[in-house]
Amino acid sequence: MNRPPRIGADVALSDLPGWNSVEGLEAVGRSFRFETFSAAFEWMTRVARAAEAMDHHPEWRNVYNRVDVILTTHDADGVTELDVRLAKIMDSAFADLTR
Amino acid sequence: MNRPPRIGADVALSDLPGWNSVEGLEAVGRSFRFETFSAAFEWMTRVARAAEAMDHHPEWRNVYNRVDVILTTHDADGVTELDVRLAKIMDSAFADLTR
């Protein structure tokens, strides 16, 4: 499968409110906070399914009700449309679960 | 709920082959590696259910087929029997899914 071209973190961030650059990495990051561990893990489960379908996976760290995410495309050595797409899926699942 | 007393990382590790101390933390850690992202997340889902039932949660970081775990008991400011119990659940689920 051809990987999409690298677009760079800055261009990606202009399309991703709530996301931030990641120090020392060509990546975008966001910290998601939930009411409970269960809510956090339910969100992770939804996102995991989408990630698997896209064959594009996050780096993420969960501590209780918090999930810190870093997205980058290793094959492209930077941020691509795949990261933007996965970020938007995460935002949308988050909005859906926390509204 | 009363928290179990702190037993210390060294005592815990003597009961947990495959686990390691964590630099700078009163905690125990292990890195789990799977065939695929799906297998890693299936394991996480099993462990999450057990963690929720125990009301004791891991700190964990997933990148593709790897999950790095840190266990400590914040209420006890160190390692307790709860961490040993959760570590053994993780080991057992891992053995079950990767045999």
Side-chain angles (χ1 to χ4, degrees):
Chain A
M1 187 170 80
N2 286 326
R3 288 289 172 188
R6 183 171 160 170
I7 57 174
D10 289 347
V11 171
L13 289 172
S14 68
D15 196 21
L16 294 173
W19 289 74
N20 305 293
S21 56
V22 181
E23 195 168 332
L25 290 178
E26 253 301 312
V28 296
R30 184 175 171 185
S31 188
F32 293 90
R33 195 173 287 269
F34 300 82
E35 290 276 319
T36 59
F37 171 77
S38 283
F41 202 80
E42 185 181 343
W43 176 82
M44 289 179 78
T45 302
R46 285 201 199 187
V47 170
R49 251 182 248 126
E52 189 55 17
M54 288 174 67
D55 190 24
H56 186 61
H57 305 87
E59 170 177 339
W60 47 3
R61 175 172 169 273
N62 162 241
V63 184
Y64 194 54
N65 65 337
R66 207 180 76 224
V67 186
D68 300 323
V69 176
I70 293 175
L71 299 180
T72 190
T73 304
H74 293 285
D75 294 1
D77 216 18
V79 178
T80 68
E81 283 297 341
L82 283 176
D83 300 303
V84 175
R85 209 183 308 160
L86 186 54
K88 289 183 175 179
I89 288 168
M90 289 180 163
D91 288 345
S92 158
F94 182 71
D96 195 39
L97 284 168
T98 57
R99 69 182 166 192
Chain B
M1 185 171 81
N2 287 325
R3 288 288 172 187
R6 183 171 159 167
I7 57 174
D10 288 349
V11 171
L13 288 173
S14 69
D15 197 20
L16 294 174
W19 289 74
N20 305 292
S21 56
V22 181
E23 195 167 333
L25 290 178
E26 253 302 311
V28 295
R30 185 175 170 185
S31 187
F32 294 89
R33 195 174 286 268
F34 300 82
E35 290 276 321
T36 59
F37 172 77
S38 284
F41 203 81
E42 185 181 344
W43 176 82
M44 289 179 78
T45 302
R46 285 201 199 188
V47 169
R49 253 182 246 126
E52 189 55 19
M54 288 174 67
D55 190 24
H56 187 61
H57 305 87
E59 171 178 339
W60 47 4
R61 175 173 169 272
N62 162 241
V63 184
Y64 194 55
N65 65 336
R66 208 181 76 224
V67 187
D68 300 324
V69 176
I70 293 176
L71 298 180
T72 190
T73 305
H74 293 284
D75 294 2
D77 216 17
V79 179
T80 69
E81 282 298 341
L82 283 177
D83 299 303
V84 175
R85 209 183 308 158
L86 185 55
K88 287 183 175 178
I89 288 169
M90 288 179 163
D91 288 346
S92 158
F94 182 72
D96 196 37
L97 283 168
T98 56
R99 68 183 166 192

